[in-house]
Amino acid sequence: MIFYSLNKKAPDVDFQYAAVHGQAPDKGLYFPSIIPQLSKSFIDDLANKSKVEIGVEVMTPYVSGSIPKDELERIVSETVDFDFPLVKIDNYISSLELFHGPTMAFKDVGARFMSRCLGFFNKNNSNKTTVLVATSGDTGGAVANGFLGVEGVEVVILYPKGKVSPIQELQLTTCGQNIKALEIDGVFDDCQAIVKQAFMDEDLNKKMVLTSANSINIARWLPQQLYYFFAYQQWVKDNDEAPVVCVPSGNFGNICAGILANASGLPIKHFLAATNVNDEIPKFFQSGKYAPQKAVPTISNAMDVGDPSNFVRIMEIFQQDFPALKHKVSSVSVSDEETKATIAEVYSRTNYILDPHGAVAYKALSDFQKANNDKGFILETAHPVKFPDVVEEVIGKKIPIPEKAQYLLNRKKEAVELPAEFKAVKDWLLKSL
Ligand SMILES: *Cc1c(COP(=O)(O)O)cnc(C)c1O
């Protein structure tokens, strides 16, 4: 597969180049030159296929020329070796639970796939790659876990001091080995700004191979298509019509992967992109004008994004045709008050505990259904135990920590505390790696 830069001022590249470099030299996002079309027989037979068969079929065209089939099979089977259950919340709305992976967030799929791709590419290469990533909570844990022990790759995670939940902090800071955590005295935007500056710093880039691990990287973005297929496998057992799918969105990488799966042939009736009050995309759908904003902090903090990177990819899938986009996708914004009220209402009516991100999606989908009467599902992107302050207060009880996360409680945090200054981080990188 050939990938081109959406800024169209950089050379075309293959999967390996795009995965290793993240962003194109013209600062554009990479995009596949063809959207692969899956056969009707493959779609009709999805319910009978294993997760690995689906993963290999969907990913083969994208990695062709860079990863041989047997390696892809290994990478996919290591990536999706946990459950993706579609759970009925009530008669109209189901929840695709994406939190059964090692760090209890959907980002595990992308992070695991990407880490294994880089590990494979590094096999015949003596250069060390350094993955530099800023996190508001979930990305850091998924990347740390995904890259732990991958040879030839050092991971440095910047997180804002005091702004991630206790479980998230343990996931980031207790891995050891090739994973280093920097506790930055500032907010998420400071961490993000420092990482961006590092990628532009000539001196640093001469001394080390730096790459990003956020959803602009195709090796993290593309495999997110898979769980839409896993959901559909389960959906067709109980339903004749294609689902409406609601995705809680921040950088819009997750929903963009779903839209890509649909463009490849997966039946989905409509997409709903639910945001919190960081509503530049809902506003864009209304006015046709895009205006980035400064991100406002909310209780669904993994979606506090003021200028979503992946929206340009969604526009490209629709070939910049705004009416066609609006026909397939809608976007709405949900406030913190509505989010809390939704967690409370759904819990008291059904006993199902939503996390704040899933609750944003539930509220958006249930309002959409009142007008349209279609059945569908939300993506439940994280386990509620990762956001205990909000959820436990609303439902009035403690959420038990799942067994597979209990080991974290005995671990000791290891992080280097630094001021929110690029120079401090740069000096640390040069000295420590
Ligand atoms: C990252 C994240 C999101 C947002 O996903 P995007 O791909 O950035 O739109 C939503 N919910 C949770 C829990 C997340 O960690």
Side-chain angles (χ1 to χ4, degrees):
M1 175 74 79
I2 301 287
F3 292 82
Y4 60 92
S5 162
L6 288 180
N7 285 354
K8 312 229 164 94
K9 293 195 176 67
D12 290 351
V13 300
D14 61 6
F15 179 85
Q16 174 166 352
Y17 186 96
V20 170
H21 292 84
Q23 215 165 351
D26 64 358
K27 308 275 178 283
L29 270 61
Y30 283 116
F31 195 84
S33 55
I34 332 167
I35 297 183
Q37 295 302 307
L38 295 157
S39 69
K40 183 167 179 312
S41 63
F42 174 75
I43 299 291
D44 289 346
D45 200 30
L46 270 176
N48 302 316
K49 302 225 182 280
S50 71
K51 290 189 304 234
V52 176
E53 283 170 327
I54 293 173
V56 171
E57 180 82 18
V58 172
M59 294 308 294
T60 292
Y62 293 105
V63 305
S64 67
S66 296
I67 302 179
K69 191 112 183 175
D70 56 332
E71 280 295 328
L72 178 64
E73 234 163 61
R74 180 187 59 80
I75 291 171
V76 168
S77 59
E78 289 176 18
T79 300
V80 299
D81 71 347
F82 51 88
D83 293 332
F84 301 81
L86 185 66
V87 175
K88 238 179 161 165
I89 300 181
D90 51 40
N91 279 334
Y92 284 92
I93 300 186
S94 298
S95 168
L96 178 66
E97 295 185 345
L98 298 176
F99 53 71
H100 296 278
T103 74
M104 301 185 284
F106 81 93
K107 292 187 171 77
D108 280 327
V109 169
R112 289 173 136 209
F113 190 87
M114 178 183 167
S115 64
R116 283 154 180 83
C117 289
L118 289 194
F120 172 69
F121 297 144
N122 265 348
K123 255 189 196 159
N124 310 314
N125 179 347
S126 55
N127 287 345
K128 206 164 64 174
T129 305
T130 299
V131 171
L132 201 56
V133 66
T135 185
S136 59
D138 274 355
T139 299
V143 168
N145 187 282
F147 281 86
L148 181 63
V150 173
E151 269 185 47
V153 182
E154 288 284 333
V155 176
V156 179
I157 300 165
L158 284 74
Y159 74 99
K161 181 181 163 72
K163 306 270 185 327
V164 302
S165 78
I167 290 221
Q168 287 176 327
E169 184 166 45
L170 287 170
Q171 287 176 336
L172 295 175
T173 57
T174 62
C175 287
Q177 298 185 51
N178 57 329
I179 314 292
K180 310 279 184 304
L182 301 182
E183 184 176 17
I184 301 296
D185 221 338
V187 294
F188 169 67
D189 283 340
D190 297 321
C191 300
Q192 180 95 310
I194 292 170
V195 167
K196 282 195 176 150
Q197 209 174 336
F199 288 128
M200 315 255 266
D201 190 88
E202 262 180 48
D203 182 35
L204 211 48
N205 282 282
K206 255 186 228 141
K207 291 176 179 141
M208 47 182 69
V209 183
L210 285 178
T211 191
S212 73
N214 57 24
S215 58
I216 63 170
N217 194 305
I218 56 160
R220 239 197 82 185
W221 169 53
L222 292 169
Q224 297 182 124
Q225 294 178 88
L226 300 184
Y227 38 70
Y228 293 86
F229 288 87
F230 304 158
Y232 189 78
Q233 283 192 296
Q234 302 171 70
W235 178 261
V236 291
K237 292 192 177 134
D238 292 330
N239 296 281
D240 302 325
E241 283 198 36
V244 175
V245 178
C246 183
V247 186
S249 297
N251 244 331
F252 281 67
N254 196 0
I255 191 167
C256 182
I259 295 170
L260 184 65
N262 174 247
S264 294
L266 183 71
I268 289 173
K269 187 161 186 190
H270 195 76
F271 286 95
L272 205 51
T275 72
N276 55 32
V277 292
N278 293 289
D279 62 350
E280 51 292 329
I281 299 298
K283 281 194 179 136
F284 170 73
F285 272 83
Q286 276 183 353
S287 68
K289 290 194 193 82
Y290 179 69
Q293 305 167 0
K294 195 168 158 38
V296 180
T298 73
I299 56 170
S300 48
N301 62 9
M303 312 199 294
D304 295 350
V305 179
D307 186 8
S309 340
N310 284 288
F311 199 69
V312 289
R313 283 185 170 139
I314 295 181
M315 292 300 290
E316 189 75 358
I317 297 176
F318 289 96
Q319 301 174 326
Q320 318 299 322
D321 180 345
F322 189 44
L325 167 68
K326 285 221 295 203
H327 183 69
K328 194 77 206 179
V329 185
S330 325
S331 188
V332 289
S333 153
V334 173
S335 71
D336 277 0
E337 288 66 41
E338 291 171 313
T339 306
K340 284 188 192 168
T342 302
I343 296 173
E345 191 279 321
V346 170
Y347 179 63
S348 73
R349 179 167 47 89
T350 70
N351 259 340
Y352 193 84
I353 304 176
L354 290 162
D355 99 292
H357 304 79
V360 165
Y362 187 96
K363 166 71 177 156
L365 183 53
S366 85
D367 286 351
F368 183 84
Q369 285 179 330
K370 283 181 192 132
N372 298 278
N373 226 1
D374 296 313
K375 290 191 181 185
F377 60 84
I378 60 161
L379 270 56
E380 185 35 299
T381 45
H383 194 292
V385 81
K386 295 185 90 174
F387 307 94
D389 289 358
V390 177
V391 181
E392 291 178 353
E393 188 200 297
V394 171
I395 67 170
K397 73 167 204 187
K398 273 210 104 50
I399 308 170
I401 294 182
E403 202 149 337
K404 69 171 186 301
Q406 298 249 349
Y407 74 95
L408 283 168
L409 304 176
N410 304 321
R411 297 250 178 122
K412 211 174 141 295
K413 163 180 162 184
E414 273 181 53
V416 177
E417 196 173 332
L418 290 176
E421 288 161 15
F422 172 65
K423 188 169 177 313
V425 172
K426 177 176 172 177
D427 289 347
W428 183 87
L429 285 170
L430 291 174
K431 184 174 82 205
S432 314
L433 299 182

